[in-house]
Amino acid sequence: DQQVKQNSPSLSVQEGRISILNCDYTNSMFDYFLWYKKYPAEGPTFLISISSIKDKNEDGRFTVFLNKSAKHLSLHIVPSQPGDSAVYFCAASHTGTASKLTFGTGTRLQVTL
Amino acid sequence: SQTIHQWPATLVQPVGSPLSLECTVEGTSNPNLYWYRQAAGRGLQLLFYSVGIGQISSEVPQNLSASRPQDRQFILSSKKLLLSDSGFYLCAWSPTGATGELFFGEGSRLTVL
């Protein structure tokens, strides 16, 4: 049972344009959401997070939006840069489970020149 | 600052052979420790987590085991590898009691032939 879903396995965006990566979840107990970025043969690195008490969190070029009623979150990257090319994982957890994150399957972002 | 290191980075093993992957964390005490696996075309799956020495929780039934002989050391083992054990294994840590962000090691690529 995939509780966190990233339905787009890949995405190609031109440099300078906006990248939008989507994530859906089914477990209504989730109250904390994160995005990780992963380069090949490396461990994932934390990018940005959002608590369920918010609907938006912004950090530089990265913004995460949370729609609790739709159980949907998205990551916006503006403007996209070639160095943003990587696999992006959405993850979720809920209070009381320490940091036992449930990850999605990832979306491979390719930023083209 | 805290660092996490896991080894070996790459491992090719025959079916039926044993496995030992090691992970150590520096610069913090009593961390929560995790083993994740990324199989081909799949997300990051939590295999084991530990909140203290000798305390191991298994998330999925499998051919693997984990041990925490010291506070900042986490070991993933198998007595007899299966082909399906191939994948990219990631060790991670989080501060005690934290909800959310995990810090990942560099990963270990295991190929079982």
Side-chain angles (χ1 to χ4, degrees):
Chain A
D1 177 30
Q2 192 71 27
Q3 297 186 63
V4 178
K5 302 176 184 178
Q6 294 176 256
N7 292 318
S8 298
S10 64
L11 175 67
S12 183
V13 173
Q14 200 169 23
E15 182 182 11
R17 307 293 289 267
I18 183 171
S19 295
I20 300 177
L21 294 93
N22 294 303
C23 177
D24 298 292
Y25 61 96
T26 57
N27 189 339
S28 57
M29 297 290 290
F30 288 145
D31 56 12
Y32 194 71
F33 305 90
L34 308 89
W35 285 94
Y36 278 80
K37 178 179 179 179
K38 183 181 181 301
Y39 293 116
E42 293 184 10
T45 54
F46 170 74
L47 196 57
I48 193 169
S49 64
I50 188 167
S51 164
S52 61
I53 62 173
K54 294 185 174 182
D55 55 18
K56 177 183 175 181
N57 188 26
E58 189 173 353
D59 183 2
R61 296 186 296 114
F62 302 92
T63 303
V64 56
F65 295 91
L66 175 63
N67 182 334
K68 290 187 290 293
S69 60
K71 293 190 177 67
H72 176 83
L73 65 156
S74 61
L75 174 68
H76 292 210
I77 306 174
V78 183
S80 300
Q81 299 174 354
D84 296 330
S85 298
V87 177
Y88 289 79
F89 288 98
C90 171
S93 68
H94 59 90
T95 305
T97 61
S99 291
K100 288 170 56 181
L101 301 182
T102 300
F103 283 86
T105 52
T107 296
R108 182 177 300 279
L109 173 65
Q110 180 73 39
V111 179
T112 59
L113 297 174
Chain B
S1 64
Q2 301 88 1
T3 59
I4 179 169
H5 183 53
Q6 63 177 104
W7 68 93
T10 306
L11 199 58
V12 180
Q13 292 285 99
V15 170
S17 64
L19 170 73
S20 181
L21 299 179
E22 190 165 341
C23 172
T24 58
V25 179
E26 298 294 333
T28 187
S29 59
N30 197 29
N32 295 329
L33 296 172
Y34 309 81
W35 279 109
Y36 278 84
R37 176 172 60 199
Q38 182 185 13
R42 303 186 67 178
L44 301 175
Q45 182 184 36
L46 178 62
L47 302 177
F48 300 95
Y49 76 96
S50 171
V51 297
I53 296 175
Q55 300 178 61
I56 309 294
S57 294
S58 174
E59 290 296 296
V60 294
Q62 60 198 298
N63 182 44
L64 303 168
S65 61
S67 61
R68 186 170 177 174
Q70 300 179 45
D71 181 46
R72 292 169 293 174
Q73 183 184 28
F74 206 22
I75 298 172
L76 184 69
S77 305
S78 173
K79 292 182 179 179
K80 289 186 177 181
L81 284 169
L82 306 172
L83 287 174
S84 58
D85 292 325
S86 294
F88 192 59
Y89 289 83
L90 290 154
C91 182
W93 76 275
S94 69
T96 303
T99 53
E101 187 176 346
L102 293 178
F103 301 91
F104 284 89
E106 312 94 328
S108 298
R109 170 73 60 191
L110 170 65
T111 303
V112 182
L113 302 175

